[in-house]
Amino acid sequence: MGNLVAIVGRPNVGKSTLFNRLTKSRNAIVSDEAGTTRDRQYGKCEWCGKEFSVVDTGGWVVNSDDIFEEEIRKQVLVATEEANLLLFMVDVTTGLTSLDEDVAQILRGSKLPVILVANKTDNNAQIYDSYEFYKLGLGEPICISSMSGSGTGDLLDLIMEKLPNIEGENIEEGIPRFAVVGRPNAGKSSIINAFIGEDRNIVTEIAGTTRDSIYTRYDKFGFDFYLVDTAGIRRKNKVSENLEFYSVMRSIRAIENSDVCILMIDATRGIESQDMNIFQIIQRNQKSLVVVVNKWDLVEDKSPIAIKTFENAIRERMAPFTDFPIIFASAVTKQRIFKVLEQAKQVYLNRTSKIGTTKLNETMLPLIEAFPPPSIKGKYIKIKYCSQVPAQIPTFIFYANLPQYVKEPYKRFLENKIRENWPLTGTPINVFVRQK
C-alpha cells in the first residue's frame, strides 16, 4: 500500500522539475515498457528501499502558466484531501508572494504533514533569502535547487521521516481485488451498487488504512473478491466537484491497491483525455484491465457497426496494449452487469496463469525459427530457450546470444505470439531478452 506525496505551489516555482528529479530513478524502467508515456503528472519514487507515489499538481491543469488563483486553491484543497504528505514549493528568487500566503493558510488548516521547499537556491547567499518563508508558519524551509539537484537528498530523507508507516489492512491474501475507476459521473457508484445490490449485509466492509479506500468483500453467485471502492466515503467538499484533477488523484489510490481495474467510460461522451490519464496510471502500475462502456441504454444507435466503431476507437487510443475485454453495459438497467464480473474474474485468472516451460518452448521456438529477429551488422541473433518467471504479471524471459540487439518491435511480436496461443486477455505481460 503506497503513500502519496503531492507537490503544490503556484506556477513556475519548479514543481515539474522537482517531480522529474524525484521520479528520475525509475525512468529507465518506465521507458523499458512498450508504449508507456512519460506523462509528467504521476510517477513513483524510490529512496532507501522504500517507494512512494508522487503527483505534480501543476501537470493536471490545462495551460498552467496562467491559472487563476482560484484554480490553484482548488488544487491545493484536493491535494490535502488525497495525499499523505505535501511538498509546498516556493521560489527564493521571487520571494514571498500573496498567493504563497493564501496556499499556506489552507495548508496550516489541514492536518497533513507539510514540507516547505524553497526552490532555486543556487548559491549560499540565497539561503539567507529563504528565511522570509518562516513567515508562512510552516516551519523551516528546506533549501534545494531542483535544476541542479542540490539538497534533494536531504529533502528525500525528510520525506521518509514524515511519511506515515502504513500497516496492511486485515484483508485476506490471494483474493482478487477489483477497482472501479473512471471520470466523475461515468457511473462508478451506480455500478458498485448494481453489483452489491441493496442487501449489503452479505458483504463485509473493511476500511483500508489508506486515506479512505474501502474493501467490500463480495462472495455470492460463485464469485469471491474485494471491491476497492474509493467513492464510498466522500467528504462533500464544494471544491472538488468541478475539478478534473480530483478524479485522477482519487483513482491513483484505487488502482495501486487493486489487481484488476474496471475502467468506466461514459457511452454518451466517448473516450476523453481524462480517461486516457487514468488508463496511463493503470498501465504504469501494470494492472489488468476491463473496459466498461456504461450508459449503453442511452445510446440510440446500437447496431453491430456502431459497436465495432466504438471498440476500435477505444483500442486505437490505448494502443499498443489492445488485448482487453470491452463490455457495453448499463448500471441503471443492470444490462450485462454480470458479464462485467465474469470478465474481471477471467482477467484475474489470466493475470495469475502459469505456462509450463515445455509447452512454451514447443510453441514459441518454431515461431521464432520461422521469424527470427532481424540480423544486425551481419550478426545473427539466436533465441535458444524461453521460460516464464514468477512475477506480479506474466513475465517471460527469452535467452539469446545477443540480447542487446533484440529491439522493441520484435519483443512486441513475441508478446503477440504469446497472446495468440494462451489466454492472457486483459492483463499486461513483460517480455525480456537476456544473455543465455
Side-chain angles (χ1 to χ4, degrees), residues 346-378:
Q346 188 52 52
V347 164
Y348 177 75
L349 292 173
N350 295 351
R351 182 185 177 84
T352 49
S353 63
K354 298 277 177 283
I355 299 167
T357 307
T358 325
K359 268 266 180 320
L360 192 63
N361 283 284
E362 276 171 9
T363 309
M364 293 302 292
L365 292 181
L367 288 169
I368 292 169
E369 203 120 302
F371 290 96
S375 57
I376 292 189
K377 302 181 187 139

Coordinates of all heavy atoms in Angstrom, one line a residue, residues 346-378:
Q346 N -12.2 -13.6 -15.0 CA -11.4 -14.2 -16.1 C -10.0 -13.5 -16.2 O -9.0 -14.2 -16.3 CB -12.2 -14.3 -17.4 CG -11.5 -15.1 -18.5 CD -11.2 -16.5 -18.0 OE1 -12.0 -17.3 -17.5 NE2 -9.9 -17.0 -18.1
V347 N -10.1 -12.2 -16.3 CA -8.9 -11.5 -16.5 C -7.9 -11.7 -15.3 O -6.7 -11.8 -15.5 CB -9.2 -10.0 -16.6 CG1 -8.0 -9.1 -16.4 CG2 -9.8 -9.7 -18.0
Y348 N -8.5 -11.8 -14.1 CA -7.6 -12.1 -12.9 C -7.0 -13.4 -13.1 O -5.8 -13.6 -12.8 CB -8.4 -12.0 -11.6 CG -7.6 -12.3 -10.4 CD1 -6.7 -11.4 -9.9 CD2 -7.7 -13.6 -9.8 CE1 -5.9 -11.7 -8.8 CE2 -6.9 -13.9 -8.7 CZ -6.0 -13.0 -8.2 OH -5.3 -13.3 -7.1
L349 N -7.7 -14.4 -13.5 CA -7.2 -15.8 -13.7 C -6.1 -15.7 -14.8 O -5.0 -16.4 -14.6 CB -8.3 -16.8 -14.1 CG -9.3 -17.1 -13.0 CD1 -10.4 -17.9 -13.6 CD2 -8.7 -17.8 -11.8
N350 N -6.3 -14.9 -15.8 CA -5.3 -14.8 -16.9 C -4.0 -14.2 -16.3 O -2.9 -14.6 -16.6 CB -5.8 -13.9 -18.0 CG -6.9 -14.5 -18.8 OD1 -7.3 -15.7 -18.5 ND2 -7.5 -13.7 -19.6
R351 N -4.2 -13.2 -15.4 CA -3.1 -12.5 -14.8 C -2.2 -13.4 -14.0 O -1.0 -13.3 -13.9 CB -3.6 -11.4 -13.9 CG -2.6 -10.5 -13.2 CD -3.3 -9.5 -12.3 NE -2.3 -8.7 -11.5 CZ -1.8 -7.6 -12.0 NH1 -2.1 -7.2 -13.2 NH2 -1.0 -6.9 -11.3
T352 N -2.9 -14.4 -13.3 CA -2.1 -15.3 -12.4 C -1.8 -16.6 -13.1 O -1.3 -17.6 -12.4 CB -3.0 -15.6 -11.2 OG1 -4.3 -16.0 -11.6 CG2 -3.1 -14.3 -10.3
S353 N -2.0 -16.8 -14.4 CA -1.8 -18.1 -15.0 C -0.3 -18.4 -15.2 O 0.5 -17.5 -15.4 CB -2.5 -18.1 -16.4 OG -2.0 -17.2 -17.2
K354 N 0.0 -19.6 -15.2 CA 1.4 -20.1 -15.3 C 1.4 -21.0 -16.6 O 0.6 -21.9 -16.7 CB 1.9 -20.9 -14.1 CG 1.9 -20.1 -12.8 CD 3.1 -19.3 -12.7 CE 3.1 -18.5 -11.4 NZ 2.3 -17.3 -11.5
I355 N 2.4 -20.8 -17.4 CA 2.5 -21.6 -18.6 C 3.7 -22.5 -18.5 O 4.8 -22.0 -18.1 CB 2.7 -20.7 -19.9 CG1 1.4 -19.8 -20.1 CG2 2.9 -21.5 -21.1 CD1 1.6 -18.7 -21.1
G356 N 3.5 -23.8 -18.7 CA 4.6 -24.7 -18.5 C 5.8 -24.4 -19.5 O 5.5 -24.0 -20.6
T357 N 7.0 -24.6 -19.0 CA 8.2 -24.3 -19.8 C 8.2 -25.1 -21.1 O 8.5 -24.6 -22.2 CB 9.5 -24.5 -19.0 OG1 9.3 -23.8 -17.8 CG2 10.7 -24.0 -19.7
T358 N 7.9 -26.4 -21.0 CA 8.0 -27.3 -22.1 C 7.0 -26.8 -23.2 O 7.3 -26.6 -24.4 CB 7.6 -28.7 -21.7 OG1 8.1 -29.0 -20.4 CG2 8.2 -29.7 -22.7
K359 N 5.8 -26.6 -22.8 CA 4.7 -26.1 -23.7 C 5.2 -24.8 -24.4 O 5.0 -24.6 -25.6 CB 3.4 -25.8 -22.9 CG 2.5 -26.9 -22.8 CD 1.5 -26.8 -23.9 CE 0.4 -27.8 -24.0 NZ 0.8 -29.2 -23.7
L360 N 5.7 -23.9 -23.5 CA 6.1 -22.6 -24.0 C 7.1 -22.7 -25.1 O 7.0 -22.1 -26.2 CB 6.7 -21.7 -22.9 CG 6.9 -20.3 -23.1 CD1 5.6 -19.6 -23.4 CD2 7.5 -19.6 -21.9
N361 N 8.2 -23.6 -24.9 CA 9.2 -23.7 -25.8 C 8.7 -24.5 -27.1 O 9.1 -24.1 -28.2 CB 10.4 -24.5 -25.2 CG 11.2 -23.6 -24.3 OD1 12.0 -22.8 -24.8 ND2 11.0 -23.7 -23.0
E362 N 7.9 -25.5 -26.9 CA 7.3 -26.2 -28.0 C 6.6 -25.3 -29.0 O 6.6 -25.4 -30.2 CB 6.4 -27.3 -27.6 CG 7.1 -28.6 -27.2 CD 6.1 -29.6 -26.5 OE1 4.9 -29.3 -26.5 OE2 6.6 -30.6 -26.0
T363 N 5.9 -24.3 -28.4 CA 5.1 -23.4 -29.3 C 5.9 -22.3 -29.8 O 5.9 -22.0 -31.0 CB 3.9 -22.8 -28.4 OG1 3.2 -23.9 -27.8 CG2 3.0 -22.0 -29.3
M364 N 6.8 -21.7 -28.9 CA 7.4 -20.4 -29.3 C 8.6 -20.6 -30.2 O 8.9 -19.9 -31.2 CB 7.8 -19.6 -28.1 CG 6.6 -19.1 -27.3 SD 5.5 -18.0 -28.3 CE 6.5 -16.6 -28.5
L365 N 9.4 -21.7 -30.0 CA 10.7 -21.8 -30.7 C 10.5 -22.0 -32.2 O 11.2 -21.3 -33.0 CB 11.6 -22.9 -30.1 CG 12.1 -22.6 -28.7 CD1 13.0 -23.7 -28.2 CD2 12.9 -21.3 -28.6
P366 N 9.5 -22.8 -32.6 CA 9.3 -22.9 -34.1 C 8.8 -21.6 -34.7 O 9.3 -21.2 -35.8 CB 8.1 -23.9 -34.2 CG 8.2 -24.7 -32.9 CD 8.7 -23.8 -31.9
L367 N 8.1 -20.8 -33.9 CA 7.6 -19.5 -34.4 C 8.8 -18.5 -34.6 O 8.9 -17.8 -35.5 CB 6.6 -18.8 -33.4 CG 5.2 -19.5 -33.4 CD1 4.4 -18.9 -32.2 CD2 4.5 -19.2 -34.7
I368 N 9.7 -18.6 -33.6 CA 10.9 -17.8 -33.6 C 11.8 -18.2 -34.8 O 12.4 -17.4 -35.5 CB 11.7 -17.9 -32.3 CG1 10.8 -17.2 -31.2 CG2 13.0 -17.2 -32.4 CD1 11.3 -17.4 -29.8
E369 N 11.9 -19.5 -35.0 CA 12.7 -20.0 -36.1 C 12.2 -19.5 -37.4 O 12.9 -19.1 -38.3 CB 12.6 -21.6 -36.1 CG 13.7 -22.2 -36.8 CD 14.5 -23.1 -35.8 OE1 15.0 -22.6 -34.8 OE2 14.6 -24.3 -36.1
A370 N 10.8 -19.5 -37.5 CA 10.2 -19.0 -38.8 C 10.4 -17.5 -39.0 O 10.6 -17.1 -40.1 CB 8.7 -19.4 -38.8
F371 N 10.4 -16.8 -37.9 CA 10.6 -15.3 -38.0 C 11.6 -14.9 -37.0 O 11.3 -14.4 -35.9 CB 9.3 -14.6 -37.6 CG 8.2 -14.7 -38.6 CD1 7.2 -15.7 -38.5 CD2 8.2 -13.9 -39.7 CE1 6.2 -15.8 -39.4 CE2 7.2 -14.0 -40.7 CZ 6.2 -15.0 -40.5
P372 N 12.9 -15.1 -37.3 CA 13.9 -14.8 -36.3 C 14.1 -13.3 -36.2 O 13.6 -12.6 -37.1 CB 15.2 -15.4 -36.9 CG 14.9 -15.5 -38.4 CD 13.4 -15.7 -38.5
P373 N 14.7 -12.8 -35.1 CA 14.9 -11.4 -35.0 C 15.8 -10.9 -36.2 O 16.7 -11.7 -36.6 CB 15.7 -11.2 -33.7 CG 15.5 -12.5 -33.0 CD 15.2 -13.5 -34.0
P374 N 15.6 -9.7 -36.7 CA 16.4 -9.3 -37.9 C 17.9 -9.2 -37.5 O 18.2 -8.8 -36.4 CB 15.9 -7.9 -38.2 CG 15.1 -7.5 -37.0 CD 14.6 -8.7 -36.3
S375 N 18.8 -9.6 -38.4 CA 20.2 -9.6 -38.0 C 20.7 -8.2 -38.1 O 20.2 -7.4 -38.9 CB 21.0 -10.5 -39.0 OG 20.8 -10.1 -40.3
I376 N 21.7 -7.9 -37.2 CA 22.2 -6.5 -37.2 C 23.7 -6.6 -37.5 O 24.4 -7.4 -36.9 CB 21.9 -5.9 -35.8 CG1 20.4 -5.7 -35.7 CG2 22.7 -4.6 -35.6 CD1 20.0 -4.9 -34.5
K377 N 24.1 -5.7 -38.4 CA 25.6 -5.7 -38.8 C 26.1 -7.1 -39.1 O 27.2 -7.5 -38.6 CB 26.4 -5.1 -37.6 CG 26.0 -3.7 -37.3 CD 26.8 -3.2 -36.1 CE 26.3 -1.8 -35.7 NZ 26.3 -1.7 -34.2
G378 N 25.3 -7.9 -39.8 CA 25.7 -9.2 -40.2 C 25.8 -10.2 -39.0 O 26.2 -11.3 -39.2

